[in-house]
Amino acid sequence: MGLLTGIVFLPLAASVLILLLPKDRPGATRWTALLASTATFVLSIGLLTGFRPDASMQFVEKVAWIESIGVDYHMGIDGISLFLVLLTTFLTPLVVLSSWRDIGEKVRAFHAMLLMLETGMLGAFVALDLFLFYIFWELMLIPMYILIGVWGGPRRVYAAVKFVLYTIVGSLLMLVAILALYFMAGGTTFNILELQQTVLSSGAQWWLFAAFGLAFAIKVPIWPLHTWLPDAHVEAPTAGSVILAGVLLKLGTYGFLRFAIPVFPEAAVSFQPILVALAVIGIIYGALVAMVQTDIKKLVAYSSVSHLGYVMLGLFSFNLEAFSGALYQMLNHGLSTGALFLLVGVLYERRHTRMIADYGGIARTVPLFTVAFLVVTFSSIGLPGLNGFVGEFLILVGAFGANRLAGILAALGVVLGACYMLWLTQRFLFGPMRNEENRSLKDLTAREGLVLVPILLLIVYMGVQPRPLLDRMEPALRAALAPVQAVAPTPESPETPLHGFLFGPDSTAAGSAAGEEPR
Amino acid sequence: MSGFVPGDLMSFGPILVLAGGGVLLVVIDALLGRRSGFPWSIPTLLVLALAVGTAVAQWSTPRSAGSLSWLLAIDRFALFVAVLVCVSAALTVVLSESYLRRIGRVRGEFYSLLLLSCSGMVLFAATNELITLFLALELLSIPVYILSGYLRDDLRSGEAAMKYFFLGALSSAVFLLGIAFIYGSTGTTNLLQVVQRGTETPGLLTGGVLLLLTGFLFKIASVPFHMWAPDVYEGAPTTVTAFMATAVKAAAFGALLRVIGLAPDLVGPIPLEKLLWWLAVLTMSVGNLAALTQSNVKRMLAYSSIAHAGYLLIAVTVYAGTGDAQALTGLLYYLIAYTLMTIGAFAFVVAFGDENLEMGSYGALGWRYPALGIGMSLFMISLAGIPPTAGFFGKYTIFRNAVDHGYVPLVVIAVLNSALSVAYYFRVMVTLYMRPASGEVKAGSGIAVGVVVAVCAVGVLWAGFGPDGWLPGVPTLLSWAQDSVLALR
């Protein structure tokens, strides 16, 4: 059994164990979940230390599973999936810890679902067999559905069902596309790496890209398919929101990066104008709608629509800066939005309201909370020195190179982003104390600090030291980019003054190197 | 037609065992009188086990029917259907044990009728001869009519039996008329000979085959011959409903496949494949749309079974259009999956009794009965076709073969239907876990229901995780299905 199998299935094993624990010992359940998810994280550190920064798939495990139809149990990671796996294993124990007091009922089921969800997400990130990928992709559906539907807010059932129906329509059409792709490639293998070598006619690529793209676009979600997201976020318990925003949405963008773009490069190029337009609309629309929200969770949900618009813009700019930025921004969004939901959850636990108007002027009563909230806010709006800046900067540089208008509009989105986030902090944290009940608000406890500090540290680290991450991402991103570059060489982007900071002096100018290795 | 050799009867052990067992139970019932506490399910299960045993024993080398081969087609396909029917009947028997006890109507005739019906089903899928086919149809139908009205003090049960009987009789008449047309046109009642001989009156033959197909479509409850299903499924005793939804459907599909393989050559100008294409689309769409609006669980499952017939018709369409018997692998695999998940779901319904059939009464039961709740959720997930369950893999195999032969639009319609079905299957889970409890609903049926739920749940997971033999030495369901369909060509 390899390391990846251990990482992916440890949470599932723990979730089965939890269901067998006695009902009247919630503490044992919580500790089991915490230990199992922490152990998963520790194991995944092994991936980081053993990772070679090249484009190859590593830690590969391949065993025949359903031989008669060519399905393998085939897993591996490269620079793209490595950090997404780490993000998942990093967030899960924090989420368990954050739910320590929040979840008082049905504790076993809650943790079992959470861990099952982790297995689904990890499996989807590391699967190199399309069939296996589909199984994991669907495996995520039910735990998330239960998490929202059982532990959610008043409209939880509506939100849960909406989430499921949106997702399932996309994923079932993807199943048809998987089958069609399988037969077009000769009907012998679901191996993603081999399928990438298949030469498909442009017509076939168009349809397949449309089907895969729809499934991923719903998951991202791209405007106008985003309407399930605010409902799901608002109704989900804190843990559900964090996982949803932090990891689940990344599966959509990961799907584009791993499958849709490299396997159907011609179609990706022909869809580029539409998707760039939708991404920019998403950026602006998400920001504008976020601005008028009265519910903090809803505001953060719409900010996710906006942020993932950047990721999509980066992916469909088809150059290395934008690709790196997109992947970096996926991690940033996971951390900063995850942290925002955690912080909102902290207050919700105390006051049972998420309305911005119910707060205000709490900075003096909860100074630690305020500091954490500000750091996350600054990360979210892309303040230099924090992680958000690196991602947004790279995306904007890449986008300008590919499509000037889109770049300008997206930059406008950055301004809007700063507006709604700063306005939020002003109404939420500062100003006069409007509500007397907030006078006795308690600041962060040690447990909550333990949840937030690692995220804050990472936010700062990724802001000042992007190189260790970018270096490991770069070869895999080049490989993912090569098929598109072969179809439509994109114009080089201008070399930026920050180039050395981001890519290092030894790295050949990233933009010009993009077409160099068509594999 | 050479002389009849009595020993040749042995070639079809399962039918003899089932029919003999049914008769034996009637005799025992008569000898014991009414008040005995005879454990009926035990001899019934033994008979079923024996029937499965004789079928399995013949699997590697099906015995030739010798002088009877004009009447019987004994091959792996027939044996496959026989085993499936017997398994479905066995699960029904275990389930009925607690069900009949709960309503206080443990009678021998229930079990003997069940066995007689089974013998008809096995025969139904094991013949190429039209008169035998008709006899089998009657033998399988009449006991089921009676079983539907088994709760004779219950108005709805009586209504169900009447409705099923009248419409069933009508379809039998249509079926018989079709046989008459075919015989009149070709002078033979053996389908293989019908194909060989050809005809001088092709119009009559076409009409005959279409009438014959109508009879099958009625039995599998395909649109537009599905109207009876919801009422009958709702009114019949719950375990009989489970039996009807699974075994009757499996047998009817078995017989249909024997005919449909030959039919394209017989129907002349009628575009059979197009017809089936539309039937598949209509059947799944009507089933799913109607199921969406149901609040009674039995009715919901009835419409869902119509929808599933639609998915199965996809494989039939592909088979009729291309003649590729491999396309039916998915159908047979799906029948296994469908049997397990449907009986499992009905087992859950049985557990909470006939008083609680409205969805609302299941509120929060998932928390009070964790094992039953997880089982039911699993069946719903499987019925919705979500991995890693048998329902997913069955659907996948059907879709796969259809895409392979270029039926992409049909598959797209089918997956959109699947997405639709998620809405009502997941509503069961919503009720079980996310709604408040309503009153005092209790699981009142001892261990038998638990056994059925457990067996079906393990089966659903087994067929979903390991369709291709992931345990060394265990024969795989998929290869059984593959071997079975090879017999058809």
Side-chain angles (χ1 to χ4, degrees):
Chain A
M1 198 179 78
L3 185 56
L4 277 183
T5 301
I7 291 170
V8 170
F9 288 101
L10 182 64
L12 187 66
S15 81
V16 174
L17 177 71
I18 281 173
L19 286 178
L20 300 175
L21 289 173
K23 192 180 182 174
D24 51 351
R25 303 281 299 279
T29 300
R30 293 191 178 107
W31 278 107
T32 313
L34 184 62
L35 288 177
S37 52
T38 311
T40 314
F41 177 62
V42 171
L43 282 179
S44 68
I45 294 289
L47 296 177
L48 186 63
T49 53
F51 188 83
R52 300 181 311 278
D54 57 36
S56 64
M57 282 293 165
Q58 300 171 33
F59 301 96
V60 173
E61 293 174 36
K62 189 175 181 186
V63 187
W65 177 29
I66 311 176
E67 274 176 80
S68 55
I69 53 170
V71 175
D72 292 324
Y73 176 81
H74 187 184
M75 293 173 163
I77 57 164
D78 62 1
I80 296 173
S81 39
L82 170 68
F83 292 104
L84 292 167
V85 167
L86 284 167
L87 177 69
T88 312
T89 56
F90 173 72
L91 282 180
T92 308
L94 299 181
V95 163
V96 172
L97 203 55
S98 78
S99 318
W100 212 260
R101 295 264 172 276
D102 192 15
I103 302 299
E105 276 179 86
K106 298 155 186 166
V107 179
R108 287 183 304 169
F110 176 84
H111 289 94
M113 287 300 140
L114 200 60
L115 292 171
M116 203 184 288
L117 184 62
E118 189 183 10
T119 289
M121 295 184 298
L122 290 172
F125 280 133
V126 302
L128 292 180
D129 183 284
L130 260 186
F131 192 90
L132 191 64
F133 171 77
Y134 184 78
I135 302 259
F136 281 121
W137 177 273
E138 292 284 48
L139 191 62
M140 297 182 299
L141 187 65
I142 289 163
M144 197 67 218
Y145 165 72
I146 302 266
L147 281 179
I148 298 175
V150 174
W151 292 274
R155 286 168 71 240
R156 59 187 189 273
V157 173
Y158 168 78
V161 171
K162 193 169 177 183
F163 163 75
V164 163
L165 289 182
Y166 263 78
T167 316
I168 201 105
V169 169
S171 55
L172 282 167
L173 287 173
M174 178 168 77
L175 179 65
V176 182
I178 289 176
L179 284 171
L181 176 63
Y182 170 76
F183 284 113
M184 283 176 193
T188 51
T189 181
F190 284 101
N191 186 334
I192 290 160
L193 307 175
E194 283 176 42
L195 290 173
Q196 285 186 9
Q197 314 295 325
T198 316
V199 182
L200 297 164
S201 70
S202 347
Q205 284 200 17
W206 197 92
W207 282 106
L208 293 175
F209 185 91
F212 274 91
L214 181 65
F216 298 144
I218 290 172
K219 203 80 160 183
V220 170
I222 296 177
W223 185 90
L225 302 169
H226 67 280
T227 61
W228 63 269
L229 183 73
D231 286 319
H233 267 321
V234 169
E235 298 305 323
T238 301
S241 292
V242 174
I243 293 289
L244 187 62
V247 187
L248 227 56
L249 306 185
K250 307 304 170 301
L251 273 148
T253 44
Y254 172 77
F256 277 108
L257 188 51
R258 171 71 78 212
F259 306 103
I261 293 175
V263 183
F264 318 115
E266 273 182 57
V269 170
S270 64
F271 272 95
Q272 184 185 22
I274 299 174
L275 284 169
V276 166
L278 291 181
V280 171
I281 293 175
I283 291 172
I284 308 276
Y285 170 89
L288 289 176
V289 178
M291 213 171 282
V292 298
Q293 295 305 319
T294 51
D295 178 331
I296 307 175
K297 255 187 152 179
K298 215 160 190 168
L299 187 150
V300 181
Y302 278 105
S303 86
S304 289
V305 175
S306 181
H307 281 272
L308 285 154
Y310 285 106
V311 177
M312 287 304 294
L313 177 65
L315 290 178
F316 281 84
S317 295
F318 299 143
N319 54 49
L320 187 63
E321 287 91 347
F323 257 43
S324 315
L327 185 51
Y328 211 83
Q329 189 69 0
M330 287 189 216
L331 305 176
N332 294 340
H333 179 259
L335 292 175
S336 60
T337 307
L340 276 177
F341 278 121
L342 285 170
L343 286 163
V344 175
V346 163
L347 278 198
Y348 185 76
E349 248 179 72
R350 290 164 170 65
R351 292 275 285 103
H352 295 282
T353 170
R354 294 184 307 256
M355 292 297 140
I356 301 172
D358 289 340
Y359 297 98
I362 57 172
R364 219 163 299 160
T365 44
V366 285
L368 293 175
F369 177 90
T370 304
V371 169
F373 199 91
L374 283 178
V375 171
V376 176
T377 301
F378 290 143
S379 153
S380 174
I381 64 181
L383 192 78
L386 298 176
N387 60 349
F389 171 73
V390 179
E392 272 184 5
F393 180 78
L394 282 168
I395 289 173
L396 289 178
V397 169
F400 268 105
N403 183 334
R404 202 159 290 265
L405 179 63
I408 292 170
L409 289 172
L412 184 66
V414 177
V415 179
L416 290 175
C419 285
Y420 67 77
M421 282 312 290
L422 292 175
W423 193 35
L424 169 69
T425 52
Q426 198 226 321
R427 286 180 295 165
F428 180 50
L429 299 173
F430 303 112
M433 174 81 73
R434 281 192 302 269
N435 196 329
E436 283 306 312
E437 282 181 58
N438 290 334
R439 286 211 188 281
S440 55
L441 211 56
K442 278 209 193 70
D443 207 352
L444 298 179
T445 62
R447 174 179 60 86
E448 288 156 349
L450 198 60
V451 173
L452 288 165
V453 165
I455 300 182
L456 297 181
L457 288 178
L458 215 52
I459 283 176
V460 175
Y461 176 80
M462 283 173 65
V464 294
Q465 281 289 349
R467 284 271 306 284
L469 284 89
L470 287 170
D471 285 349
R472 288 179 172 79
M473 293 172 182
E474 194 187 311
L477 287 173
R478 273 183 206 283
L481 196 53
V484 187
Q485 292 278 0
V487 174
T490 40
E492 290 172 20
S493 20
E495 189 141 328
T496 66
L498 290 176
H499 206 93
F501 169 66
L502 295 170
F503 291 104
D506 51 331
S507 161
T508 47
S512 64
E516 248 172 36
E517 301 170 78
R519 279 198 306 153
Chain B
M1 278 176 280
S2 52
F4 170 58
V5 182
D8 289 339
L9 269 181
M10 295 309 294
S11 63
F12 218 51
I15 296 174
L16 293 182
V17 170
L18 290 168
V23 173
L24 188 70
L25 288 189
V26 175
V27 174
I28 297 177
D29 195 21
L31 289 178
L32 283 177
R34 274 287 169 229
R35 292 240 179 104
S36 69
F38 190 72
W40 290 104
S41 49
I42 292 173
T44 316
L45 286 175
L46 286 178
V47 169
L48 288 167
L50 191 60
V52 170
T54 47
V56 171
Q58 285 193 60
W59 179 260
S60 50
T61 48
R63 281 175 65 164
S64 161
S67 60
L68 290 176
S69 56
W70 196 69
L71 297 176
L72 293 177
I74 292 142
D75 48 28
R76 287 186 175 171
F77 180 74
L79 295 173
F80 183 92
V81 175
V83 172
L84 193 58
V85 164
C86 289
V87 168
S88 158
L91 290 169
T92 307
V93 168
V94 177
L95 210 51
S96 303
E97 172 67 22
S98 48
Y99 181 76
L100 296 181
R101 211 170 285 286
R102 185 168 169 142
I103 58 172
R105 277 185 169 273
V106 188
R107 297 279 162 79
E109 62 254 34
F110 184 91
Y111 296 93
S112 69
L113 286 168
L114 203 69
L115 287 178
L116 288 173
S117 175
C118 279
S119 71
M121 291 173 188
V122 175
L123 183 60
F124 200 42
T127 178
N128 279 318
E129 203 271 335
L130 293 173
I131 299 295
T132 316
L133 200 62
F134 180 71
L135 283 178
L137 175 65
E138 293 300 285
L139 181 54
L140 86 84
S141 302
I142 292 171
V144 180
Y145 301 149
I146 304 173
L147 287 174
S148 308
Y150 186 75
L151 309 175
R152 59 176 176 217
D153 307 330
D154 181 34
L155 267 180
R156 280 181 315 164
S157 180
E159 184 201 336
M162 286 306 278
K163 206 166 220 166
Y164 196 25
F165 173 68
F166 279 127
L167 289 171
L170 184 66
S171 88
S172 295
V174 168
F175 196 83
L176 200 54
L177 192 62
I179 294 176
F181 277 20
I182 295 174
Y183 181 68
S185 157
T186 61
T188 177
T189 56
N190 185 303
L191 276 172
L192 299 173
Q193 282 190 3
V194 168
V195 175
Q196 283 164 11
R197 282 197 194 171
T199 175
E200 284 164 12
T201 48
L204 198 59
L205 181 59
T206 304
V209 173
L210 289 182
L211 289 175
L212 204 61
L213 290 180
T214 308
F216 287 122
L217 293 175
F218 176 84
K219 278 291 164 213
I220 63 174
S222 153
V223 173
F225 310 105
H226 66 288
M227 299 299 196
W228 60 273
D231 290 341
V232 175
Y233 280 24
E234 187 191 353
T238 309
T239 57
V240 175
T241 308
F243 183 65
M244 275 196 288
T246 55
V248 175
K249 195 159 279 187
F253 264 102
L256 172 67
L257 293 182
R258 289 228 183 256
V259 177
I260 209 84
L262 307 170
D265 306 333
L266 304 178
V267 291
I270 304 286
L272 189 61
E273 179 215 357
K274 275 274 169 304
L275 211 60
L276 285 167
W277 196 97
W278 280 105
L279 282 178
V281 168
L282 283 175
T283 305
M284 56 189 155
S285 306
V286 169
N288 279 323
L289 285 172
L292 268 181
T293 61
Q294 303 303 320
S295 63
N296 180 302
V297 180
K298 269 167 99 175
R299 277 187 93 81
M300 190 269 278
L301 287 171
Y303 280 110
S304 118
S305 96
I306 294 173
H308 285 274
Y311 302 137
L312 293 166
L313 280 173
I314 295 173
V316 179
T317 309
V318 176
Y319 180 50
T322 64
D324 177 13
Q326 279 300 329
L328 296 176
T329 311
L331 191 152
L332 292 195
Y333 197 85
Y334 201 71
L335 279 178
I336 303 175
Y338 173 74
T339 300
L340 291 171
M341 57 205 187
T342 304
I343 292 191
F346 276 112
F348 184 88
V349 178
V350 167
F352 294 98
D354 282 354
E355 319 80 82
N356 300 306
L357 290 176
E358 288 300 312
M359 190 91 86
S361 56
Y362 289 169
L365 284 185
W367 300 112
R368 275 169 49 205
Y369 299 96
L372 282 176
I374 289 176
M376 185 64 168
S377 308
L378 188 67
F379 303 134
M380 291 298 127
I381 290 168
S382 180
L383 282 165
I386 293 168
T389 55
F392 165 71
F393 202 80
K395 237 178 219 169
Y396 169 80
T397 320
I398 289 181
F399 292 170
R400 172 181 192 274
N401 289 319
V403 171
D404 192 14
H405 288 290
Y407 290 83
V408 176
L410 186 55
V411 173
V412 169
I413 295 172
V415 296
L416 292 178
N417 261 289
S418 292
L420 194 62
S421 75
V422 168
Y424 62 86
Y425 290 129
F426 273 45
R427 203 162 57 206
V428 175
M429 287 163 68
V430 167
T431 314
L432 287 181
Y433 291 103
M434 305 171 196
R435 297 278 184 220
S438 73
E440 275 300 297
V441 179
K442 277 207 176 74
S445 322
I447 194 138
V449 170
V451 169
V452 172
V453 168
V455 167
C456 292
V458 169
V460 161
L461 282 178
W462 175 275
F465 272 118
D468 205 31
W470 51 306
L471 289 187
V474 179
T476 72
L477 299 173
L478 194 64
S479 64
W480 282 349
Q482 271 163 349
D483 290 347
S484 304
V485 294
L486 288 181
L488 284 177
R489 272 276 148 151

